[in-house]
Each structure stands twice: as C-alpha cells, then as structure tokens.
Amino acid sequence: MKYTLAILFTLASLPFCAAASASDQQSPAPRSSPSPEPSSPCGGPGRLLATANRPTIGYSACAVKQHTAVFELGYQNQVDGTPSSGSIRSQVPQNFLRLGIIPNFEIDVIGPNYEATRSYSTGRPDTVTNGVADSGLGFKYELPPMGKWTIAFDGLYTGPNGSTFLTAGNATWTGNFDASYSLSPATSIGTTVAVSSTGGYADNVHGQYGTTMPSVVVTTQIPHYYQFYAEYVLVSKIALDRGDRAFTDFGVQKLLGTRTEVDVEYGHAFTGISALKFNYVGAGLVLQLR
C-alpha cells in the first residue's frame, strides 16, 4: 500500500506508497497469511494472499516465487484537513512490480505513480496540481523457513525524478525488516520496521531528514480465501517541517483462483490537529504471472 508509504507518503503527505501504498501510496505489508502447509507459511494455494504487499502499509515477509512476476496495482483517494480548508488527493496506479529471480529473492520496480491534488480553502479558489512521484528499484530477501516465523529484509531506492511538487528532491534510501508469526492456521501477526533517509521542501527550502516507520498488522482468513486485516502505523516524521503521525488501516482481500487478488481498504489518522487529519479509501488488484 504505498510502498514504504509510497516511499514515505511521497515524503510529505500521508499515506501516499508505498507504499506505496502505501497505498502505492506511497505502500510499504510485512505480513504473511498462514498457509495450509504449516511448514511453509508462504506456500500453498493461498500463497498470493501471503505474498502481496498491498493493501497494507507494511510489507509482506514472503518473497515472490522464483521465475514469477507479481503486479501490484491500486487506486487511493484521500481527504486531508477540514471541510473548510484541506485537500483531496487521488493516486493511481500505485505500481509495484515484483520479479522472483532466485529462490527467496526478488527484484522490485517502484512506479511510475500519478497523483492529482485539489487544494481548497473557504473564500479562495481551488488549486489543482498533478504529476508523478519519484520512481526507483528495490529488492527483498526472505530468510530460510523457521517454523511459524517468516522473516525478510527489503532495500528500496528512489531517485529525485518525480514532479516538482512531489519529489523528495534527493535520493531516498529505505531499509525494511519484515517479520510474521502464524498464531493459528487462519491468523497471523506481522510487523515491518522501515528506516529511511529522505528529503523534502518547506517554504521552498530543501532539506534532508531521516524517519522511522514501524507497523503492526493482524490478518485472519475465513473460508473461500477471504482475508481481513487491521493495521497500526506510526511515522516518526512525515515532512521536513512536521513531526510524527499515527494512523490505522483496515481492509479485506479476496483471492480469485490462485493468481488474482482484489482488495479494498480504509485508513484514518489519529491526531487532534485539524490540519493533519486525513481519511482515505482505496481498492487494488494483484496479478501473478506464472
């Protein structure tokens, strides 16, 4: 969702992955849905539910299978601020392409990702901006199976190649630690801890900064491959001139066959500051080739 919160919410606006993801949007889900085979949490007929990063903010701990391509795509609409002053942001396609190169190792292609924003304020005409966020590359390495535990590491890079009002202005480097534990054949709990070096603008002045983004997610399946999740996310710094922000992300996924997943999500920010409030909805699609 949103890949590493769209590499930290386009580094100035939550929750746009990554992703990203996050809800790229960004958009990055470190979660691993339990498999019918206890010895292989990332295998079985429900593998795609366990492997998909979206729509959660954190990343899955399961790498894409060798010689397999997985396309993660989505749409997200977010309302920031208050009815009298704020913005509406739309993001598509939250593109994240994952290629299984060798066992337990994948290469990722981040973006391109298009974003349109309409800013409004009482007594002033609306302002509309649109462009693309920074794009880049990444990888995931999944450690050998450890019973009910699944652990992986991600590395992500995006360059300052996006539109003027969306780019970080410098290269963004992100490292993720992903872990998942199967509580039962149907339920698991996972976490991603993302650490990034990024940048942004405040009053047309550019600066670089670091940020940490831990997330915790619980997933549970019911028959016919429906999966529900609830996630808590904390971002230590959302922009050059702003501090931390916490929010929740809820959603449902449905596996269609073994190679197609569809999902819907809802996110809500925890804050008493009106200007930092946001709510978002999204929908997505995950396609596996081979």
Side-chain angles (χ1 to χ4, degrees):
M1 266 223 135
K2 302 184 243 188
Y3 297 95
T4 306
L5 231 42
I7 307 302
L8 291 160
F9 307 113
T10 311
L11 315 166
S13 59
L14 293 173
F16 285 91
C17 20
S21 111
S23 120
D24 289 50
Q25 137 178 274
Q26 29 215 124
S27 323
R31 71 197 182 311
S32 177
S33 172
S35 160
E37 301 177 28
S39 61
S40 179
C42 297
R47 178 186 180 98
L48 191 58
L49 281 176
T51 302
N53 285 327
R54 68 159 298 111
T56 56
I57 303 302
Y59 279 23
S60 169
C62 298
V64 170
K65 186 178 179 181
Q66 183 182 12
H67 305 315
T68 298
V70 171
F71 292 86
E72 302 195 359
L73 305 167
Y75 168 81
Q76 193 173 78
N77 190 76
Q78 176 176 316
V79 178
D80 298 277
T82 66
S84 60
S85 180
S87 65
I88 299 174
R89 300 188 176 114
S90 299
Q91 186 182 115
V92 70
Q94 296 187 315
N95 180 54
F96 201 73
L97 169 61
R98 304 167 63 188
L99 304 170
I101 306 301
I102 58 176
N104 299 336
F105 184 81
E106 68 179 61
I107 294 294
D108 307 318
V109 180
I110 306 165
N113 205 40
Y114 174 82
E115 182 178 323
T117 302
R118 179 174 67 85
S119 300
Y120 59 86
S121 182
T122 302
R124 297 181 181 179
D126 293 355
T127 301
V128 178
T129 55
N130 54 75
V132 294
D134 293 339
S135 297
L137 299 171
F139 73 87
K140 181 192 297 290
Y141 174 64
E142 176 192 337
L143 297 182
M146 291 177 282
K148 293 184 177 182
W149 284 98
T150 306
I151 295 176
F153 297 91
D154 297 288
L156 304 166
Y157 162 83
T158 58
N161 48 37
S163 301
T164 302
F165 80 104
L166 291 175
T167 182
N170 56 269
T172 294
W173 300 88
T174 300
N176 289 350
F177 168 77
D178 311 316
S180 176
Y181 181 79
S182 296
L183 298 172
S184 74
T187 304
S188 68
I189 183 169
T191 184
T192 285
V193 179
V195 178
S196 294
S197 172
T198 185
Y201 293 87
D203 297 324
N204 297 318
V205 176
H206 179 265
Q208 293 180 265
Y209 61 94
T211 186
T212 302
M213 184 175 64
S215 65
V216 178
V217 63
V218 176
T219 63
T220 189
Q221 284 189 28
I222 62 174
H224 308 297
Y225 294 104
Y226 285 93
Q227 180 165 278
F228 299 87
Y229 74 87
E231 182 179 28
Y232 175 84
V233 184
L234 173 65
V235 185
S236 65
K237 189 174 179 63
I238 65 170
L240 183 63
D241 57 346
R242 292 184 178 181
D244 65 332
R245 185 184 296 183
F247 65 99
T248 54
D249 186 46
F250 304 92
V252 59
Q253 302 164 264
K254 175 67 171 83
L255 191 62
L256 306 176
T258 60
R259 299 184 179 182
T260 304
E261 179 261 21
V262 293
D263 57 69
V264 292
E265 62 175 331
Y266 168 75
H268 173 73
F270 292 108
T271 177
I273 304 174
S274 297
L276 299 182
K277 290 182 178 179
F278 73 79
N279 294 279
Y280 65 84
V281 294
L285 174 70
V286 179
L287 297 174
Q288 176 181 308
L289 301 183
R290 193 177 183 284

